[in-house]
Amino acid sequence: MTETSRRAQWFSDNERNWDDRAELHMAGNYCDYQRLLSDPTAISTLAQDIERFGDLTGKEVIHLQCHVGTETISIARRGASRLIGLDLSEA
């Protein structure tokens, strides 16, 4: 197997892993996301260090590896004017 094909296989395996996780997480109540969706003031339990970002009011933010978006929603609630969540998984 060539280095290129090993890398391609690794990326493929990794993507399948995260697709499986996303489906599993959304089937349950991952990080209390139901509360996050129902309460417009809620901040994700995963966003424990969100204060380190400082004031996001009016900032444009890209959130890489956002998974199912719980932290992305929390970042938006901190005032970002434009926010893009990007993840490898399409799930």
Side-chain angles (χ1 to χ4, degrees), residues 45-76:
T45 57
L46 291 180
Q48 297 172 4
D49 61 349
I50 199 166
E51 297 296 327
R52 296 173 72 190
F53 297 147
D55 184 11
L56 297 177
T57 304
K59 302 275 173 96
E60 294 184 357
V61 179
I62 185 166
H63 182 202
L64 302 175
Q65 296 178 284
C66 65
H67 190 38
V68 297
T70 54
E71 296 98 332
T72 310
I73 292 169
S74 297
I75 293 168

Side-chain angles (χ1 to χ4, degrees), residues 4-33:
T4 301
S5 62
R6 275 195 298 269
R7 285 184 185 176
Q9 184 62 51
W10 184 88
F11 278 104
S12 177
D13 291 346
N14 190 36
E15 184 176 7
R16 273 195 313 278
N17 178 304
W18 282 106
D19 287 347
D20 290 346
R21 287 175 190 230
E23 289 177 19
L24 178 65
H25 289 163
M26 295 310 292
N29 189 23
Y30 179 71
C31 291
D32 200 17
Y33 82 87

